[in-house]
Amino acid sequence: MVSRGLFGWSPPHVQPLTPVSETSEPPESPSPYAADLGLGLGGDGAPPPDDDAQPPLDDADDDPDPPPAAVPFKRLFACADRLDWALMVAGSLAAAAHGVALVVYLHLFGKSINSLHAHGRHTHDLFHNINQAIAYALFHALYFLYIAIGVFFAGWIEVSCWILTGERQTAVIRSKYVQVLLNQDMSFFDTYGNNGDIVSQVLSDVLLIQSALSEKVGNYIHNMATFFGGLVIGLVNCWQIALLTLATGPFIVAAGGISNIFLHRLAENIQDAYGEAASIAEQAILYIRTLYSFTNETLAKYSYATSLQATLRYGILISLVQGLGLGFTYGLAICSCALQLWVGRFLISHGRANGGEVVVALFAIILCGLGLNQAATNFYSFEQGRIAAYRLYEMISRSTSTVNQDGRTLSSVQGNIEFRNVYFSYLSRPEIPILSGFYLTVPARKTVALVGRNGSGKSSIIPLMERFYDPTLGEVLLDGENIKNLKLEWLRSQIGLVTQEPALLSLSIMENIAYGRSATTDQIEEAAKTAHVHAFISSLEKGYETQVGRAGLSLTEEQKIKLSIARAVLSNPSILLLDEVTGALDFEAEKAVQEALDILMLGRSTIIIARRLSLIRNADYIAVMEEGQLVEMGTHEELLNLDGLYAELLRCEEAAKLPKRTPIRNYKEPSSFQIERDSSASHSFQESSSPKMSKSPSLQKTHGFLTFRTSDANHNSHESPNIQSPPSEQMAEARLPMVASERVPSIKRQDSFEMKLPDLPKIDVPLHRQSSNTSDPESPISPLLTSDPKNERSHSKTFSRPLDIFDSFHAEDFKQHHTKAPSFWRLAELSLAEYFYALLGSAGAACFGSFNPLLAYTISLIVVAYYKIGVRDVHAEVNKYCSFIVGMGIITVLANFLQHFYFGIMGEKMTERVRRMMFSVILRNEVGWFDDEENSADILSMRLANDATFVRAAFSNRLSIFIQDTSAILVALLLGMLLQWRVALVALATLPILIVSAVAQKMWLSGFSRGIQEMHRKASLVLEDAVRNIYTVVAFCAGNKIMELYRLQLGNILKKSFIHGMGIGFAFGFSQFLLFACNALLLWYTAAAVKDGHLSLVTAVKEYIVFSFATFALVEPFGLAPYILKRRKSLTSVFEIIDRVPKIDPDDASGLKPPNVYGSIEFRSVDFCYPTRPEMMVLNNFSLRMNGGQTVAVVGVSGSGKSTIISLIERFYDPTAGQVLLDGRDLKLFNLRWLRSHMGLVPQDPVIFSTTIRENIIYARHNATESEMKEAARIANAHHFISSLPHGYDTHVGMRGVDLTPGQKQRIAIARVVLKNAPILLFDEASSAIESESSRVVQEALDTLIMGNKTTILIAHRAAMMKHVDSIVVLNGGRIVEQGSHDSLVQLSGLYVKLMQPHFSKGFRQRRLI
């Protein structure tokens, strides 16, 4: 079997976003003869409307893979009990009865037609025969009513039974799977991942099984009953016609099948084509701050628009193939119908059949083929279910943890721990030794800290102690007893584990502290008090019942760690394992957590895994590891005296922290002189850094690009002093490394950015504002690609107006968009350019639609001719009408081509235009708009992919069907009125009832269990959390508790699914009843009209046949109503995006563009809160002035507002109150893109695009020369490591290339800023996330950059960043609490000293105080 990960389950990957795919919508033009003629004997040209029947397009690998393993079909029902079998038998019988009903109706219909036989033969007793025919028709009308009642009960029982049994059986599968999953060895999660996707992905397989063994089995039995019933009825009535119809079937199937092959291939191509465009869009939105700060919006728009052209081409090809495929399928089917009716003439003339039998045989076989075709659509679901069942059943049959659950327990635990000659490697990586002959002794009630370089093996000590793994060789002893001999659950109950990333389940705080253990409320509160978290919990509205995790309240890292400590306190362990608990906290939070830990560690044997040596100096013993062995052990002083590896590690750490002060520049001259000095100094940056730089004219101040802060991928990084909200920097530190590694952006560049971008159709984005400039926002040449400031062109239009005026305008506008869906004419405006295509398509649709009643009328004429009523030459009449039908078949090919091809072109162009409009407007919105969860990168990307296709579906696709079906209705009514207006009116009166039936059927059968699936998704949240934090769950033996909670939720879902199933079953049965009952009513009234003498028997037969055929065409457009209503919200969201006016408008050419920037920045009484959290003030009456050329460091606790300062300077947000000034002018007065082009930012975790290093550096200025780029890399200390790579600057990095260390990424980011040469520099915690070895290299690059006379703002936690600083600003709660030089703040001994204390060595602090 091909290796696909976990038993054929592939790890999650980014699926290509669905473009305008025909498989995601109902068929654009279902056959007007679908129900009666069923002209899709083996495959409609269009894909069936059932989404589940569409195989997903696999673009992961072009190589053909062997088919995945699957279980036999009968094993799908392996978890069924007696009640399930009873339900399945009842559901199967009901489905069969429901399927046969239509065929039985057709047989009775033939009997009704046969009443003409007497009318045609026995003219001498005409009155008697007509009355007999009327009585016969009334009798059959009563039969039709009985069939309708039977169908009602059959549909109800069918749907209800299959829903209930499907839910019952899959509940057992879910329960068994989760039970086995939670009992796996840790090596299993090492191999297959423990990020929670293993739960969500595999439990989604259960939905495939549920679909296969419930609704799909019922649907299959239903359609197979129709198939066999139709075959029998056809052969019984007229076996010659039946066999002839079967013989022509393969030709019709071939026409549809060939077109489907081409459609499938084109669908794969269109998926791939849109995948590239989707990637560009998603990365642009995900890293919107970086995009804005580099002012690369126009480049992104044109990259996206260019990628959409391939999607447009493939979409038009699909329309062509679909038009021809459907045309030939329907054309052949109509011609086949003519052939059989023509042959029927000979059978009748030789007395081998009568007219009714010929017609019934023909339509019975067509129904038979339609049933087989519909049944075949279920095979894909069966196959998917069998494959999914194989994956799940193999997992369920997999043995659980190999660890022996039996063993002895110790009567008392002293806490002596010993690792004796331990060798160990992970099962997932057996070739890499982790421990090699490791010895360690931890005396009872002592604290031992383990230190060492990365990869030394220290992190493996905790899992070995918890027995997540067993050593390859050697043994681990507790009080002299090998822990393998101890009962596993008892052993883990003696150990308390506190990690750096605390595990919270989506449950209440109380349940998270208890974590599966039985504890009283008093015990839990006592544990919380010990962990110093009781006061915080009590301040919450619901206290200990507050929901946390992904489904509830977000907590800070400090609060999570304290809950984790409370959990450990509750377990009252003898042994404590701490994994760098306070490593990610600021000083204040670290101090609070450390106090709680100190209480917890009292009297317990403790092992600490330490990565910051300054935190473990008070440990009883420090053990130093290197390459899996213990190399040193002793107290802090003993190891320093030894001057070995520990001393080396300590020196390395302190070297990165030690500040090197330089003389402070004096900026006390009068401001008038200051401006002159800044002006002259602004051109002399290169003199102090590199002689080559001064020779590089392009590195003078140019209009380039900048990157923004750390949290590009985290739009909700809002800072607040409020302890209940997660501080932004903390969130960035905790989450961004993961985000950056998982979602590497990619940029697509052409060979030369100087070349003219491809000419694309212009788009007009309607904006409800006045334009102050005529420049084109969609100019094909990006103004960012030119480097001459004098000739800089702006692709801007307007400037932001005063905030209060705008807010009221925007609020009103937003409210209007939320309440009003776009009108039909608004949609029509989008496609006015393609009006000629619409006219041609409409002509084809109207022609094809009118053939429905015309064909029915022609068949009725042939039937009358069969009985020789009013006809002299039967042969001539039948030949004439059959020729007419053949002509319709030929014209059908042309009509379908016109309809699908031209409406397809119109739809594809509309989709492409809407996507470009949406993307263009998205890239105009202010950053605060992206902070809203509804505007996240994932959601906006899905809107671009899907919502644009809904605009097409709501207009061009539906217009096509509307015109087709309207023409059918009008022609049918016209024929009816010409024949007899009374029957036509009755048929029209039944239309609302039929509409209700069709709408109900499509709504209720869109998916049996859609509502229940959402409940399952919420139930699986706890499981996903458990697997994501499996180490903690296992350590605290919480697996059984989680399993108990999950089973309880499954029980609740089962109860609701019973009610859900009965309701859907009743509604479905009733909708089917209405369909048959209306036909019975029509037959009854027609017979009654003949009896009353309002129309002749021949006219009645013609009229009844016409309206029987036309019924489904009358109903079809209304059956699509739920689809249109469902997508109404998507349509509204499209125009909400397009019509939105940004609060901070980048397209404003009226903004100022001064020739020189002096760099003086001032915050004047600024208040600020983030738009998504208006109640939390981040900056409060904040004032700060920075002179041009000055370097200012900003420090403070997490959430104090440091990073917000950069956001305001970049004008990602505007202040709530107050002003931010540049060179004495409000930032709002400047052109936004010009402003950002004069700022350079080095973020903590820079965005490295998935392309070459060269293009990553010149992203700042695309026309930079080779020498300028390399010089920038040299200044950033990056040239050496880049040159050492095999391909140098052409090395691909990111997702598909070489992985870079954080330090290397930093240097590339610095090289960008050097190349940009902006007069204002912003460093956001620029070296806090870098390992000690790289920190010094990066620091030197930053120092070189700062040496130029630029206005520089540093956001820092570490003392190393204080080098070359003219002033330090200390923030707390959005206010400045301290300000001055480093020395003056140290003497003040306030908050600054508390914050920086962990980063100063003891000797350095003493020297500073002296």
Side-chain angles (χ1 to χ4, degrees), residues 1200-1396:
S1200 58
K1202 302 187 299 296
S1203 295
T1204 303
I1205 292 174
I1206 285 182
S1207 296
L1208 292 174
I1209 294 174
E1210 289 273 9
R1211 220 181 151 217
F1212 291 148
Y1213 306 92
D1214 279 339
T1216 310
Q1219 290 179 302
V1220 183
L1221 309 175
L1222 173 63
D1223 294 341
R1225 294 170 174 165
D1226 195 317
L1227 290 186
K1228 296 178 183 179
L1229 299 177
F1230 293 98
N1231 176 277
L1232 187 58
R1233 291 193 175 97
W1234 176 91
L1235 177 71
R1236 289 172 180 167
S1237 71
H1238 286 74
M1239 296 179 185
L1241 183 139
V1242 180
Q1244 176 184 353
D1245 191 39
V1247 173
I1248 299 298
F1249 294 93
S1250 182
T1251 181
T1252 62
I1253 293 177
R1254 177 192 313 278
E1255 296 194 0
N1256 267 290
I1257 294 176
I1258 67 171
Y1259 190 66
R1261 186 156 56 84
H1262 300 298
N1263 60 350
T1265 65
E1266 182 83 2
S1267 59
E1268 290 169 349
M1269 178 198 66
K1270 290 186 176 178
E1271 184 61 25
R1274 285 191 185 95
I1275 292 174
N1277 281 350
H1279 179 71
H1280 177 71
F1281 94 80
I1282 295 172
S1283 301
S1284 66
L1285 296 171
H1287 300 289
Y1289 285 86
D1290 293 317
T1291 302
H1292 270 265
V1293 293
M1295 189 163 49
R1296 295 183 182 85
V1298 178
D1299 288 328
L1300 299 179
T1301 66
Q1304 291 168 339
K1305 292 179 182 178
Q1306 282 282 329
R1307 282 177 269 168
I1308 289 176
I1310 294 171
R1312 282 182 191 158
V1313 174
V1314 171
L1315 190 61
K1316 185 174 185 179
N1317 194 21
I1320 299 171
L1321 300 179
L1322 307 169
F1323 296 151
D1324 190 359
E1325 299 181 327
S1327 65
S1328 61
I1330 302 175
E1331 61 278 11
S1332 298
E1333 293 83 352
S1334 302
S1335 183
R1336 283 173 292 176
V1337 182
V1338 173
Q1339 196 66 49
E1340 289 171 8
L1342 293 179
D1343 294 344
T1344 306
L1345 195 55
I1346 294 173
M1347 289 299 290
N1349 194 359
K1350 297 173 181 286
T1351 304
T1352 306
I1353 299 174
L1354 304 174
I1355 306 293
H1357 279 161
R1358 309 207 173 198
M1361 296 297 292
M1362 301 308 149
K1363 196 163 49 165
H1364 304 313
V1365 169
D1366 300 311
S1367 177
I1368 299 171
V1369 174
V1370 184
L1371 295 185
N1372 192 16
R1375 297 172 180 267
I1376 298 176
V1377 292
E1378 297 174 14
Q1379 186 173 1
S1381 66
H1382 172 78
D1383 292 334
S1384 64
L1385 293 178
V1386 168
Q1387 291 175 0
L1388 190 61
S1389 191
L1391 180 59
Y1392 175 74
V1393 173
K1394 288 184 180 180
L1395 290 169
M1396 293 294 119

Side-chain angles (χ1 to χ4, degrees), residues 290-318:
T290 301
L291 184 81
Y292 280 176
S293 57
F294 278 93
T295 57
N296 267 344
E297 295 98 315
T298 300
L299 183 63
K301 290 176 193 175
Y302 272 89
S303 296
Y304 183 67
T306 305
S307 298
L308 285 180
Q309 298 309 300
T311 309
L312 179 62
R313 287 193 296 273
Y314 284 123
I316 292 172
L317 276 175
I318 283 177

